[in-house]
Amino acid sequence: MSRRSHITGFQPVRQKAVEHESALERDFVLLTQFRDPAAELVSQPETIHFMDAGKPRRYTPGFLVSWSDGRRELVEIKYRTDLRSQWSNLRPAFKAARDWAQAKGVTFRIATECGIRGVELENALRLIPLRSAPLDVAACNAVLSALKSLRAPTIGQLVSTARLERPLALATIWRMLAQGRLLVDDLSVALLASSPVRAT
């Protein structure tokens, strides 16, 4: 770690390690993995050469994301303060990236902490580690049975209705949410006892 915006490392994604060069990039990788577990990420996928005021320059965007629905995005990750302070230098590079992306049928976008950090990232930090956690089959069945007995189930109602000790009910529900066996409509808002929940 050298300073706020330079924390290098690797984030495991789909049995591969995706390199990141800042805490914000690390959070972007995690959020992408949360939004679409089947997405493919490549860090620093291409160095783009371009001319700026008659001088040759080069620019390497942060990530190429191939979403499972077929969309492809070239994404630059920047803190807003860095964007503001470096805009005159970054703007020609971003234009070159947009031109490159358009020619390849890819969308170029800039992601800042405003779109990366928030409740959805907090949910990701909570749920992603549970994706590979073991599930007690009997407890899972108890939760599903409780779900069927409720007209408009919420997380809190499932906890109280499932014939399980509260800690086991909570642990089972969180793991089922993480593994896609239970669904909530919007993971960009806080998961509360009042959050509606449904089966897959």
Side-chain angles (χ1 to χ4, degrees), residues 1 21 55 148:
M1 183 175 73
E21 293 188 341
K55 295 181 180 180
K148 290 176 184 176

Side-chain angles (χ1 to χ4, degrees), residues 6-179:
H6 288 85
I7 300 174
T8 59
F10 294 87
Q11 189 76 18
V13 176
R14 301 187 67 195
Q15 287 75 51
K16 296 191 303 182
V18 176
E19 187 175 3
H20 59 78
E21 293 188 341
S22 72
L24 191 60
E25 285 192 357
R26 176 200 61 205
D27 293 345
F28 171 78
V29 171
L30 185 71
L31 187 61
T32 300
Q33 181 187 9
F34 183 61
R35 288 175 172 170
D36 185 353
E40 294 278 356
L41 287 96
V42 179
S43 60
Q44 299 188 346
E46 184 81 20
T47 296
I48 299 166
H49 297 267
F50 63 100
M51 299 297 292
D52 179 22
K55 295 181 180 180
R57 288 183 58 190
R58 62 183 184 177
Y59 163 59
T60 305
F63 297 95
L64 178 65
V65 182
S66 299
W67 300 95
S68 61
D69 64 4
R71 292 177 298 124
R72 297 172 72 221
E73 290 186 320
L74 191 64
V75 186
E76 180 57 48
I77 313 298
K78 289 288 182 191
Y79 289 95
R80 292 186 72 191
T81 55
D82 293 340
L83 271 180
R84 284 194 292 266
S85 64
Q86 301 169 23
W87 182 249
S88 61
N89 184 55
L90 292 171
R91 185 176 179 181
F94 292 162
K95 181 183 183 305
R98 283 193 178 91
D99 292 344
W100 180 92
Q102 187 174 16
K104 303 284 185 181
V106 177
T107 301
F108 174 73
R109 71 179 174 96
I110 303 162
T112 71
E113 67 270 27
C114 294
I116 296 171
R117 290 180 174 160
V119 174
E120 190 175 10
L121 181 62
E122 292 171 12
N123 288 337
L125 289 166
R126 185 175 196 174
L127 294 175
I128 282 181
L130 299 177
R131 282 182 175 167
S132 58
L135 258 178
D136 181 292
V137 175
C140 184
N141 288 337
V143 169
L144 291 174
S145 178
L147 186 76
K148 290 176 184 176
S149 72
L150 296 166
R151 186 171 180 179
T154 64
I155 290 175
Q157 288 172 334
L158 274 186
V159 172
S160 60
T161 305
R163 295 183 175 183
L164 298 168
E165 294 291 330
R166 182 179 175 82
L168 179 57
L170 278 170
T172 303
I173 290 165
W174 287 121
R175 291 178 188 198
M176 292 177 74
L177 285 168
Q179 296 172 23

